[in-house]
Amino acid sequence: MALRGGSKALLATASIAVALAAADTYVVVLALQDMMNGVGIGVDALQQAAPIISGFLLGYVAVLPLIGRLADLVARQRILLWCLAIFVVGSAVTAIAVELPVLVAGRVVQGIGGGGLVPATLALVADLWPRGRRGTALGVVSAVQELGSVLGPLFGALILALWDWRVIFWVNAAAGVLLAAGIRVIGGGTDPTTASRPTRPAWWWGALTLLATAATIVLLGLALLAPTGLTSSIRWGAPFVPYAGHTDRLATPIGVWGLVALAVAGLLSARYWWPVLRRADLMGAVLIAVALGSVILTFASANPEKQVVGPLGLWLLPVAALAVVLYVWRHHTAAAPLISRGVLTGRVRPAMICSLCVGTALVAIVVDVPLLARLTVTDSETTAALILVRFLVAVPVGALLGGWLLRRAAPGLVAAPGLAVTALGLALMATWSGDALNAVTSTIELVVVGLGIGLAIAPVNDAALHDAPDADHGVAAALVVVARMIGMVVGLALLTAIGLHRFYVHILSLPNPTAAQVEAAGVVQVQTVFLGAAIAAAVAALLATTLGVRRTTTDQMAPLNS
């Protein structure tokens, strides 16, 4: 496949967009308390703030298969543009929110837009670079994505030091607009590998749609912002007065008008997006979203000190199981299912399972290294986060190295050794004592584990994209990303529950535990989590050997010269 002249610039712009979304996943870590205060939640009601985090995660994961499928039906550039538009809207809603439901809704919308950027970008790599030449490009995408997770908290800390937390999301919105403009200019026309655009409605229909969209933005924007100059005005203030028994800003005349305008805009614009959604198997997408959303809410809302699954788990897990059964039935009966029947072939399945295990190992380190630091080294969350940076910086470096090695070695020969080293490093971390983080060896082990995880990211994606049909690269990439995110959510819940069980067993065995003994029990909990992560990494290393240890004829093509 011939490369386009602007392919590298397009990939760079899309990769920066992926990094922006990745940074937004972690940007609330330091801003969460301020965001809670901004919507009237006190620090003593942290559980109520959980949807601020889980909402983004829900949006990020639940619709990934649908967006991946859409990226196979229309031009990748168009999907990137729409995802950025959704991300911008979500960022703006989050920035102006003064009520928890609005804030959570903004985070969900942000997650949908941010999550969709990843499979679209990976599929774009598969389009622009032929088999055997994708390694470096996939390494770049993976490295930039992981770099975003490093820069997210630092970016949030910088903004908070100078301005209000809302500025974080206004900057996100502005960056999204600039990136969309860059993709539009660089990307040019449509992708020849995708389906042609459906017949457009008459110009006047488009004008009405734009008018309804503009009315939605103005009315809902005014309702949520509630400018003092208008709300305190005798002449203009009446539409901003909440209805009897309500205090929400949307429960006002102008809020209702805005919601009506939104409904009208949705109905008018359906002539543009409904034909594509129908071809993408919307029913199958809804079933998958219900299954994924139920799993995420079950585990993400759990209190690890008391439960493995959240309070609604007894209801949500059966719902997820039913949705999976219904999707399997639809998958075998629909003429064109959401996940085409030829997608889960070759190395796609082991790549997904490997990605799931990598997600479990990754999240264990991200969560429990700062926990160990706060237990044994410092009371400062910032200092604990800086200790984690030793690991986080190594991951993108490993991702770049893994992509470069794919130019000369098969995916299995790159990913398996990296994950084996990760498993060994985590096994050593499982023996850390209370003063381990003060030793130089801890830094070496964190860096080595980060490099090992990074090495595996590009090879896993490369193997899945290599064996998936060319017409299904978007959905194949989405499935690999979904597997990793599910591994993070479910793996963290399970490992934390096991670790806390050992913690309480240790504490209950002591008649009058001292502070030092409680600290020692906390170290045992962290050791247990690291040991579980080591097992997950070892399983991933074994699976990685199935990703190929010999380069195929296609893979033997010479790498790009520039």
Side-chain angles (χ1 to χ4, degrees):
M1 182 187 298
L3 298 182
R4 302 182 183 187
S7 60
K8 289 186 177 181
L10 180 60
L11 174 64
T13 308
S15 297
I16 294 172
V18 169
L20 177 66
D24 211 65
T25 307
Y26 298 94
V27 76
V28 300
V29 172
L30 298 179
L32 184 59
Q33 184 173 334
D34 289 342
M35 294 173 69
M36 291 169 59
N37 295 334
V39 294
I41 300 177
V43 295
D44 57 340
L46 184 61
Q47 194 64 25
Q48 295 182 37
I52 298 175
I53 298 175
S54 60
F56 182 88
L57 186 62
L58 176 65
Y60 195 100
V61 177
V63 297
L64 266 180
L66 174 60
I67 296 179
R69 178 63 176 155
L70 290 173
D72 292 327
L73 294 176
V74 299
R76 319 290 192 199
Q77 295 95 314
R78 289 177 59 197
I79 296 300
L80 290 170
L81 289 173
W82 277 109
C83 286
L84 280 170
I86 294 170
F87 182 81
V88 168
V89 170
S91 298
V93 171
T94 303
I96 63 179
V98 295
E99 298 149 358
L100 182 61
V102 176
L103 180 61
V104 172
R107 291 291 288 165
V108 171
V109 174
Q110 267 191 304
I112 293 173
L117 292 169
V118 181
T121 301
L122 293 175
L124 183 65
V125 170
D127 290 341
L128 296 176
W129 277 265
R131 290 176 173 85
R133 299 185 180 184
R134 297 170 182 160
T136 302
L138 289 173
V140 169
V141 174
S142 303
V144 173
Q145 181 181 8
E146 299 303 327
L147 187 61
S149 67
V150 180
L151 297 178
L154 300 178
F155 166 69
L158 176 63
I159 295 295
L160 291 175
L162 300 175
W163 297 290
D164 182 71
W165 66 269
R166 300 180 188 277
V167 176
I168 294 173
F169 299 100
W170 285 123
V171 172
N172 282 342
V177 171
L178 292 176
L179 288 168
I183 289 174
R184 182 66 184 89
V185 171
I186 297 169
T190 60
D191 189 334
T193 65
T194 55
S196 59
R197 183 177 300 186
T199 304
R200 297 178 64 87
W203 68 267
W204 56 268
W205 191 277
L208 287 176
T209 303
L210 287 175
L211 180 62
T213 302
T216 299
I217 295 173
V218 172
L219 293 172
L220 288 181
L222 287 173
L224 293 175
L225 285 170
T228 304
L230 294 178
T231 57
S232 60
S233 169
I234 297 177
R235 181 178 182 182
W236 303 105
F240 296 90
V241 178
Y243 292 111
H246 297 276
T247 58
D248 297 344
R249 290 187 176 181
L250 289 180
T252 58
I254 193 169
V256 172
W257 301 340
L259 293 174
V260 170
L262 176 62
V264 172
L267 290 174
L268 290 173
S269 64
R271 292 189 62 177
Y272 298 91
W273 49 260
W274 174 248
V276 178
L277 279 183
R278 184 174 56 189
R279 290 171 52 213
D281 184 17
L282 184 58
M283 180 58 67
V286 170
L287 292 172
I288 290 291
V290 168
L292 292 174
S294 298
V295 170
I296 290 169
L297 292 177
T298 292
F299 290 96
S301 63
N303 182 353
E305 295 186 4
K306 301 177 181 179
Q307 55 202 187
V308 178
V309 300
L312 297 178
L314 293 177
W315 296 96
L316 291 176
L317 289 181
V319 169
L322 177 61
V324 170
V325 170
L326 291 175
Y327 178 77
V328 170
W329 170 79
R330 181 167 182 81
H331 181 79
H332 288 92
T333 57
L338 177 73
I339 303 171
S340 300
R341 283 181 274 271
V343 170
L344 298 178
T345 185
R347 294 174 290 176
V348 176
R349 286 192 184 94
M352 290 174 58
I353 302 174
C354 188
S355 183
L356 185 144
C357 294
V358 168
T360 299
L362 177 64
V363 75
I365 301 168
V366 170
V367 172
D368 279 71
V369 167
L371 174 61
L372 181 62
R374 290 196 299 270
L375 279 172
T376 62
V377 177
T378 178
D379 293 330
S380 169
E381 290 188 1
T382 302
T383 303
L386 290 175
I387 293 175
L388 180 63
V389 167
R390 307 170 190 176
F391 163 80
L392 292 177
V393 170
V395 176
V397 175
L400 278 176
L401 180 60
W404 180 80
L405 289 174
L406 282 177
R407 301 170 66 177
R408 292 289 183 264
L413 290 179
V414 179
L419 291 170
V421 169
T422 297
L424 177 60
L426 282 166
L428 292 173
M429 291 167 61
T431 66
W432 280 358
S433 60
D435 60 348
L437 290 176
N438 292 320
V440 176
T441 54
S442 67
T443 298
I444 297 173
E445 289 163 4
L446 283 172
V447 170
V448 169
V449 169
L451 289 173
I453 287 180
L455 278 172
I457 298 175
V460 168
N461 288 325
D462 184 65
L465 291 172
H466 185 285
D467 285 8
D470 289 347
D472 298 299
H473 281 151
V475 73
L479 292 176
V480 174
V481 176
V482 166
R484 177 177 171 181
M485 300 302 294
I486 292 297
M488 294 177 70
V489 174
V490 179
L492 178 63
L494 293 176
L495 292 181
T496 302
I498 296 171
L500 282 171
H501 174 73
R502 291 196 64 191
F503 171 84
Y504 287 119
V505 167
H506 191 80
I507 290 295
L508 292 175
S509 67
L510 303 171
N512 294 299
T514 64
Q517 289 172 326
V518 172
E519 178 184 306
V523 173
V524 170
Q525 172 195 335
V526 173
Q527 290 173 340
T528 304
V529 172
F530 287 157
L531 180 59
I535 294 172
V539 172
L542 291 174
L543 286 169
T545 61
T546 67
L547 300 181
V549 295
R550 291 185 178 181
R551 291 169 60 82
T552 63
T553 302
T554 305
D555 291 336
Q556 292 171 351
M557 291 184 296
L560 296 177
N561 294 324
S562 60

